[in-house]
Amino acid sequence: MLQPTILLLKEGTDSSQGKSQIISNINACQVVVDIVRTTLGPRGMDKLIHEGSDVTITNDGATVMKLLNVVHPAAKIMVDIAKAQDEEVGDGTTSVVLLAGELLKEAKVFIEDGLHPQIVSRGFRKASQVALNKLEDIQINLSDKTNDEKRDLLQKCAETTLNSKLVSGYKKFFSTMVVDAVMTLDEDLDKDMIGLKKVTGGSVTDSLLVKGVAFKKTFSYAGFEQQPKRFEHPKILLLNLELELKAEKDNAEIRINSPEDYQAIIDAEWHIIYEKLECIVKSGAKVVLSRLPIGDLATQYFADRDVFCAGRVEEQDVRRTQRATGAAVQTTVHNLTPDVLGTCGEFEEIQIGSERYNLFKECPGTKSATIILRGGAQQFVDEAERSLHDAIMIVRRAIKSNCVVGGGGAIEMELSRYLREYSRSISGKQQLVINAYAKALECIPKALAANSGLDAIDLLNKLRQKHAQAKPETRWFGVDCLGGGICDTYESYIWEPSLVKKNAIASATEAACLILSIDETVRNPRSEINNQALPGPGPRGPPMMGRGGMMPGRGRGVRAFRGRGGR
């Protein structure tokens, strides 16, 4: 007897499941990995991403992944781990994507041979834990170093990060600046207290560090040039208040019977604004900043009384000024007390390139620093900002963790060797999976060698031979991307905080296991257009690249592409 057909899902719903779906997801992730693979290392290539009128040139993994606009549901996980790595430690974004992709590539062979995905995931998690434990044992703790030695360490870590960036030719200049900026901060090392400002024009070496708060001069009215531009130990008032004559609100209605009534209304408005300005001057404040506009009347009033003012200051700059100077943001100017006013050692306004900047130096509150970047093209300055962000994050993490490991793929090769030996003590299928994990770790030195134009196979064989000796003096051998060949990365000062590697290994393993656990994808129709036959590969076809980036066969980008060319 035939069983009746049961319609469970909405008509037009597409469902893909089983082994083919897992392999399809792995293939989609491999496309993402292939895009960013060439950006790894000091000899890595840059990506030019053109979107509308915006042009971005970068080799930062997290930036590339974000600008690709990946819409494939499984491949989006690779974007997420790159973003998480960037927010957590600031560097290693390309490495974490490469490692996750290589783990999936190794897992694909097992899946095709019929091994259950959960067995593979269990083996990967076991190998990850063993690798992290080994990393804890061999990392170099620098807590007993002197202050000068620690500073030298931090500069080497910053230089290693900047090696692969567009500003690598100025790595000594910028690494010193980054370390000075981070060392200026308080013990909590709040990254928000380091400002990065960009001024196009001039040479890269014209960039400067201000130990305090600096921001670009805001829009100002006539009378601003008559105000003093330098103070020593001024009182600073921060406002969230408008200081200008405002038009009446919409739909306001005032009934008057004589011209004298109208004049009384005008006089009341002027009386209110003058009362506010008098309260500010009587408070003793010499520098007045407001998030909201300060009009031409107030500007001239302050100029006549030797008070500096700036309106429409960005909220982030106000917040940094508040914490650095000790001032409290006020929403009224009545009953101002001395404790709500901040101060600094020196305030001045200077010309930097074509812009004027307000500088607050020698602040008594929370320590702050501002790096003002100079350079030619806007794209260069933007990439320099991203590079210094990574370096700042790395220096902060190095200070907090006090532990480093050798870069250049050295730590990956040492962990790979250890896992191969460990796998021989395991029986069953897990031995194969852990051995595959060890092989996947070699993708980092392999990519470094390939991107440097070196023979990757030859270098990997040399590194395996060195690490096979299992001696302390050989465990830090890695790829010498600049000199060509292999070198002791620790002796060559190619150092990275161990936290970067820990986070990358853990994130890549979790991402790989998550993708392997997905055996079915259900796509619900979102509109009638989805139910129409679309040209090209079907819903189970390979990932497509359209205007929106990488996508499955039925995505918004495909419909947009079809609509544009349908004419």
Side-chain angles (χ1 to χ4, degrees), residues 11 46 52 89 94 101 123 125 154 205 228 237 275 290 295 308 324 330 348 350 358-359 442 444 448 462 495 519 548:
E11 185 178 357
D46 294 334
V89 291
T94 305
R125 288 195 174 98
L154 296 175
T205 53
L237 175 62
E275 184 182 12
S290 178
F308 176 90
Q330 301 296 300
E348 65 176 334
I350 62 173
N358 299 323
L359 277 56
E442 293 182 349
I444 302 298
L448 288 172
K462 290 180 179 178
W495 299 344
D519 74 334

Side-chain angles (χ1 to χ4, degrees), residues 10 14-15 23 34 109 124 161 225 249 315 355 383 408 439 451 458 475 496 498 535 561:
K10 187 177 180 181
D14 170 48
S15 176
I23 294 175
D34 290 340
V109 178
F124 280 175
T161 303
E225 291 301 328
K249 298 293 183 183
E315 183 175 351
E355 307 285 356
E383 178 64 3
K439 182 181 177 183
N451 293 345
D458 181 52
R475 67 170 50 147
E496 296 182 70
S498 60
F561 181 79

Side-chain angles (χ1 to χ4, degrees), residues 206-217:
D206 291 336
S207 302
L208 69 147
L209 171 67
V210 178
K211 292 186 178 180
V213 180
F215 53 83
K216 187 169 69 172
K217 180 179 84 71

Side-chain angles (χ1 to χ4, degrees), residues 138 406-418 420-421 442 445 459-479 486-489:
I138 64 175
I411 186 64
E412 285 84 4
M413 290 300 299
E414 180 65 16
L415 294 179
S416 176
R417 175 201 65 78
Y418 181 76
R420 289 182 198 277
E421 294 180 357
E442 293 182 349
L459 283 183
L460 278 180
N461 287 335
K462 290 180 179 178
L463 288 175
R464 289 193 192 105
Q465 184 267 331
K466 281 287 186 184
H467 285 265
Q469 299 176 28
K471 297 178 181 178
E473 59 268 20
T474 60
R475 67 170 50 147
W476 299 123
F477 269 84
V479 180
I486 64 175
C487 68
D488 187 327
T489 56

